[in-house]
Amino acid sequence: MKNLIVPLIISFFATNAFAEDISVDMLNKRDDGAKMVYSEDISRIEVGDSITWLPTSKGHNVEFIAGPDGWDAPKKSKLSKEYTYTFDTPGVYLYQCSPHKTMGMIAIVIVGEMTQEGVDAIKGAKVKGKSKKKLKALLADL
């Protein structure tokens, strides 16, 4: 029995020890002059990593609008509150700021290897206003 417990404990700590947490700011204006944006338009992380969104400017949130098949989107975050999400499912995710979605405040997270299936999962997402043009540009950058 001891011989089974030690490898399980080592395996648990080994997989969690390498998980990373990156930060993305929610901004009224980015250094490049873009308005109503996240600090990163495209984030690339590994399965098990987390992103913490920081309300650097007030009035923003995170609302996932598309992701991999079979994935259940979490509830949207509260306005002007820090929010952390751990990505346990590989794929491509699209999220937006609910109050500023028509102003183009959207971004993408790529978890693990990017696949055409993952890109297709967000291509058909319903976005409005300036987000339509921005989504097209982001997809072209992938």
Side-chain angles (χ1 to χ4, degrees):
M1 182 72 166
K2 261 186 178 179
N3 293 341
L4 291 174
I5 294 174
V6 172
L8 285 174
I9 292 172
I10 291 171
S11 173
F12 174 77
F13 285 110
T15 56
N16 290 329
F18 297 112
E20 290 189 35
D21 183 25
I22 66 167
S23 296
V24 173
D25 295 333
M26 300 181 252
L27 305 166
N28 287 341
K29 187 175 180 183
R30 197 165 50 199
D31 290 343
D32 64 2
K35 295 179 181 178
M36 298 302 164
V37 292
Y38 296 98
S39 59
E40 293 187 30
D41 288 328
I42 301 172
S43 300
R44 296 176 191 273
I45 62 173
E46 295 300 322
V47 174
D49 289 353
S50 300
I51 296 180
T52 298
W53 287 269
L54 304 170
T56 307
S57 302
K58 291 184 178 184
H60 302 296
N61 74 339
V62 174
E63 178 183 15
F64 287 94
I65 55 175
D69 285 340
W71 169 76
D72 291 324
K75 292 181 181 179
K76 65 183 172 184
S77 70
K78 295 185 185 301
L79 288 177
S80 305
K81 298 290 183 190
E82 184 175 303
Y83 177 69
T84 301
Y85 185 76
T86 301
F87 292 84
D88 294 323
T89 304
V92 181
Y93 298 78
L94 177 65
Y95 65 94
Q96 66 187 6
C97 172
S98 305
H100 303 109
K101 59 189 171 195
T102 60
M103 298 176 78
M105 194 165 177
I106 63 170
I108 293 173
V109 179
I110 299 169
V111 181
E113 294 294 320
M114 186 179 67
T115 64
Q116 187 59 47
E117 182 182 335
V119 173
D120 290 345
I122 66 168
K123 260 186 186 175
K126 302 276 187 209
V127 293
K128 299 178 180 181
K130 292 180 181 178
S131 290
K132 289 179 184 180
K133 184 176 179 181
K134 183 168 182 182
L135 180 58
K136 189 175 181 177
L138 291 176
L139 290 169
D141 286 346
L142 297 179

